[in-house]
Amino acid sequence: MKDSVIAAQQTPSAQRSTRDLTRAAVSGWLGTAMEFMDFQLYSLAAAIVFNKIFFPDVSPAIGLIAAMATYGVGYVARLAGAVYFGRMGDRLGRKKVLYITILLMGASTTLIGALPTYATIGILAPILLVALRLVQGFGAGAEIAGATVMLAEYAPAGRRGLISSLVSLGTNSGTLAASGLWAVLLAVLSEEQLLSWGWRLPFLLSFLLMIFAVWMRRSLKESPVFEERPDVVDGVALARAEVESVIATADQHEGSVLAAGIRQRKGKAFFLALGLRFGQAGNSGLMQTFLVGYLATNLAVDRSVPTDAIVYGSLVGFATVPLVGLLGDRFGRRVVYLVLSALTVVLAFPVMLLITSGSTPGMLLGMVLGLNVGVLGLFSLESVTMAELFGSRTRFTQLALSKEIGGILATAIGPVLAATLTAVTDSWWPIAAMLIVYSLITFVSAYLAPETRGRDLVRLEDAV
């Protein structure tokens, strides 16, 4: 075994052409776009129609809370998927996992569009909805983590922030596609048509995107960083006991390289990443999920206005995301994180004043500002920073877990908590307060984190 490990360490660096990088970038963008399109389709449906077709026998406010709860259920399954597929990705490679996750997400999303409603089969309808939501979440739990890891490990160190931001553009593209589809449906269909069959169309159409994404990933090469890892032999990572055996008989240099990755006490990098994730995830749940239903249900705003605002915000995001990636490459991840999270804190109440002003232009401006500063900008940085914080031996698992635990604590619980607090206070101020709390957690985490720009991603140990 020792000879195999030494041979692996002496293997020349895995080479990838510009074409390979392009394919990896498109694959990562496409899979992430599909994940976020699936989830945004669901979140908008939960906010607009699911309370009527799956939870019709309760008050509008309780129906909204129930619909948001089914949205949150998927995040529990995402955690299970993060553990299962994250370990698989660190052990067997990134490519295999990305192929499986895209199939799980696409199939479950398509089947949601074919579900019978409460009026047809009663309580079984929301039960089936939750079941498919669990399958969807199980696959999605490793999709964005896998795409993030793959793209960061493909990218040249000097352009890693910009290239990794394409994962964030995938989230932006998916959000835009889902919001655009819903905006069209709300504009051209009557209430009766929307509730009877129109809501199904976006879910069924996602099948076409799944087919294309699967085709792209079949010919994708493995991450060069995974192939260069000193603990990977013949495409499979050695177990801890095997690595310890090699360390005992290896020379000082070889042994120290391997020992750095398996003997380092884990935890610091994980909790820093969790804090970095918290602001973006929590802000996203409020801006892109809860506010759509809140404005339509509580403030009687036409449902097309908040969906249009998300479309406009996503369009602006096509400039925001790569710009933030470039700034991260130029000035470092940490300082840009501090600036964006501080801006979100300062803008929280002004943004909510605009959104709840009753003025359509004000509402649009507030949503666009909140989405780009507090969600998309932070996510652009998150894509590369979290990958650089972790060592290559456990990068996939730790990144997936930090993303999904942050999602459960912030994105899944946030809309339900916001719905409860706004109902109790009969006001919008709890939403602004939650934006501030989420962003302050990210600010503190960025302050405590090391600068990771340019870090060698082949190293087995975490950055801190």
Side-chain angles (χ1 to χ4, degrees):
M1 186 193 321
K2 176 186 174 184
D3 292 339
S4 298
V5 174
I6 294 174
Q9 292 174 345
Q10 295 174 343
T11 300
S13 298
Q15 298 296 315
R16 294 291 182 268
S17 65
T18 302
R19 183 177 180 181
D20 293 330
L21 176 58
T22 301
R23 184 175 287 275
V26 173
S27 172
W29 164 78
L30 192 60
T32 308
M34 181 173 173
E35 175 190 347
F36 270 71
M37 188 182 82
D38 291 350
F39 266 61
Q40 185 69 1
L41 285 176
Y42 190 97
S43 65
L44 289 173
I48 295 171
V49 298
F50 279 1
N51 59 324
K52 298 177 182 177
I53 60 178
F54 288 103
F55 308 97
D57 292 341
V58 295
S59 69
I62 299 300
L64 178 60
I65 293 173
M68 290 295 110
T70 62
Y71 171 79
V73 160
Y75 284 89
V76 178
R78 288 176 70 107
L79 180 58
V83 174
Y84 181 80
F85 290 118
R87 295 179 67 181
M88 181 187 294
D90 282 327
R91 173 84 171 164
L92 303 177
R94 323 315 193 188
K95 177 183 174 179
K96 294 180 179 67
V97 170
L98 289 173
Y99 189 77
I100 298 170
T101 55
I102 204 76
L103 285 170
L104 285 175
M105 290 192 312
S108 57
T109 301
T110 302
L111 288 173
I112 286 175
L115 278 179
T117 64
Y118 187 93
T120 305
I121 59 172
I123 192 64
L124 188 58
I127 292 174
L128 290 174
L129 179 66
V130 170
L132 288 175
R133 184 75 174 134
L134 289 171
V135 175
Q136 185 191 57
F138 187 68
E143 170 59 37
I144 194 167
T148 298
V149 169
M150 179 70 92
L151 204 47
E153 291 183 345
Y154 254 89
R159 294 187 293 157
R160 195 180 289 151
L162 175 62
I163 293 174
S164 296
S165 73
L166 293 176
V167 174
S168 302
L169 277 184
T171 70
N172 199 34
S173 302
T175 300
L176 178 61
S179 302
L181 282 171
W182 271 106
V184 170
L185 291 176
L186 291 171
V188 303
L189 297 181
S190 66
E191 179 85 3
E192 182 181 355
Q193 291 173 323
L194 185 67
L195 294 176
S196 63
W197 56 268
W199 67 271
R200 300 181 183 277
L201 295 179
F203 294 97
L204 297 175
L205 289 173
S206 69
F207 179 77
L208 300 176
L209 184 59
M210 179 192 72
I211 296 299
F212 183 58
V214 168
W215 174 77
M216 280 290 299
R217 290 187 174 178
R218 288 192 64 182
S219 55
L220 181 65
K221 292 182 180 178
E222 183 54 82
S223 154
V225 168
F226 181 82
E227 292 184 350
E228 292 173 25
R229 274 171 50 183
D231 63 331
V232 170
V233 177
D234 297 328
V236 178
L238 298 176
R240 182 184 178 92
E242 294 173 317
V243 178
E244 290 284 7
S245 175
V246 172
I247 292 173
T249 57
D251 63 36
Q252 183 176 0
H253 173 71
E254 294 159 357
S256 63
V257 168
L258 291 168
I262 67 168
R263 294 178 180 172
Q264 180 190 38
R265 176 174 290 183
K266 302 293 183 182
K268 291 182 180 179
F270 177 81
F271 284 108
L272 288 173
L274 189 64
L276 294 177
R277 166 71 166 157
F278 217 88
Q280 183 276 328
N283 295 344
S284 175
L286 294 175
M287 297 295 301
Q288 296 177 263
T289 302
F290 175 73
L291 276 176
V292 176
Y294 176 79
L295 293 172
T297 303
N298 296 64
L299 301 185
V301 173
D302 188 282
R303 291 170 302 181
S304 64
V305 176
T307 52
D308 287 345
I310 292 176
V311 170
Y312 297 143
S314 297
L315 288 171
V316 174
F318 280 100
T320 300
V321 166
L323 174 61
V324 171
L326 282 169
L327 291 174
D329 283 335
R330 175 67 178 84
F331 299 105
R333 322 300 184 207
R334 188 168 171 267
V335 65
V336 183
Y337 247 122
L338 291 172
V339 171
L340 285 178
S341 53
L343 272 176
T344 307
V345 170
V346 171
L347 291 173
F349 273 92
V351 160
M352 284 306 303
L353 281 169
L354 285 170
I355 291 173
T356 59
S357 65
S359 163
T360 298
M363 189 179 302
L364 294 176
L365 177 60
M367 292 283 280
V368 169
L369 276 174
L371 184 62
N372 278 270
V373 177
V375 179
L376 296 177
L378 289 177
F379 202 30
S380 180
L381 282 173
E382 180 183 301
S383 298
V384 64
T385 308
M386 291 173 70
E388 291 171 333
L389 273 173
F390 299 123
S392 59
R393 182 170 172 85
T394 58
R395 178 172 294 129
F396 200 146
T397 303
Q398 290 201 83
L399 198 153
L401 281 174
S402 58
K403 277 184 174 290
E404 300 315 320
I405 291 175
I408 289 173
L409 295 177
T411 311
I413 297 174
V416 179
L417 179 60
T420 304
L421 291 176
T422 52
V424 170
T425 62
D426 194 27
S427 176
W428 54 263
W429 70 260
I431 305 171
M434 290 176 69
L435 289 171
I436 290 173
V437 172
Y438 288 149
S439 301
L440 282 176
I441 292 172
T442 290
F443 182 90
V444 172
S445 300
Y447 180 79
L448 296 174
E451 178 55 61
T452 59
R453 177 180 52 167
R455 187 170 188 261
D456 180 8
L457 295 188
V458 180
R459 293 175 63 175
L460 298 180
E461 72 274 18
D462 295 342
V464 62

